[in-house]
Amino acid sequence: MDKAAEKKKKWSGDEERILSDIVLSFTNDGKTQREAFEKAAHTIGRTPGACSFRWNNKLKSNFNTAGDTNVLKEPTLADCISFLETFETDEGLIAENTRLKEEQAELKKRLHNAEETFVELKKRHKVLLFQIDTLDTSLQ
């Protein structure tokens, strides 16, 4: 890993989500946190130690890791109040709602395009398999 990756300071939301997803996935599959930190470090370009520190000191408390399920904790009243205080007016909530609806529409569009591409690739795969079988038969 290069020195620039080791000296990163601020964690992005995407990096935290990736780290959380990997740790929860690994632990649900019976693997160790150490393995998860190594995978996350490789994926996001940080050290395993940095991933371990971030998980244990910031992210772990957001999840109920007791038992077999790893789910987000229920928000507390204080969490809700803190969230609502970030919006000074109803317009802020309306704008955020509009932004989220637009983002959802864009994601649905991207999903639809990906599904269409997948169907087309499956068709092309079948054609190629048929061509391979035909070629094998003709060579024998």
Side-chain angles (χ1 to χ4, degrees):
M1 185 177 310
D2 64 14
K3 292 287 182 189
E6 291 180 18
K7 291 187 176 187
K8 278 186 177 177
K9 297 287 185 207
K10 188 169 174 77
W11 283 75
S12 71
D14 284 341
E15 288 176 318
E16 288 181 337
R17 276 190 293 283
I18 291 168
L19 175 59
S20 296
D21 289 347
I22 290 172
V23 171
L24 295 174
S25 173
F26 272 56
T27 56
N28 279 339
D29 290 344
K31 297 178 184 172
T32 66
Q33 284 188 355
R34 181 179 178 176
E35 291 173 297
F37 298 144
E38 289 171 359
K39 171 68 174 171
H42 177 73
T43 303
I44 61 179
R46 294 199 181 251
T47 64
C51 293
S52 172
F53 185 84
R54 190 64 171 187
W55 172 256
N56 288 309
N57 292 296
K58 171 91 168 62
L59 303 174
K60 184 178 179 179
S61 63
N62 294 333
F63 297 89
N64 173 16
T65 55
D68 293 337
T69 59
N70 291 309
V71 295
L72 279 173
K73 288 190 319 185
E74 289 292 323
T76 65
L77 180 58
D79 293 333
C80 295
I81 291 170
S82 175
F83 172 77
L84 292 172
E85 285 176 343
T86 63
F87 297 99
E88 294 179 11
T89 63
D90 287 341
E91 288 81 25
L93 291 172
I94 292 168
E96 176 70 1
N97 189 33
T98 301
R99 184 191 69 75
L100 290 171
K101 285 182 179 179
E102 290 169 356
E103 184 178 340
Q104 181 185 29
E106 176 61 27
L107 290 171
K108 283 182 178 180
K109 182 178 168 184
R110 288 174 54 195
L111 174 62
H112 177 73
N113 290 340
E115 288 171 338
E116 285 181 339
T117 301
F118 177 71
V119 168
E120 183 59 33
L121 288 172
K122 278 177 63 175
K123 288 178 186 175
R124 289 171 54 192
H125 180 255
K126 282 184 177 182
V127 168
L128 289 171
L129 288 176
F130 177 75
Q131 289 173 344
I132 289 170
D133 285 344
T134 303
L135 182 61
D136 283 347
T137 304
S138 67
L139 291 176
Q140 292 176 356

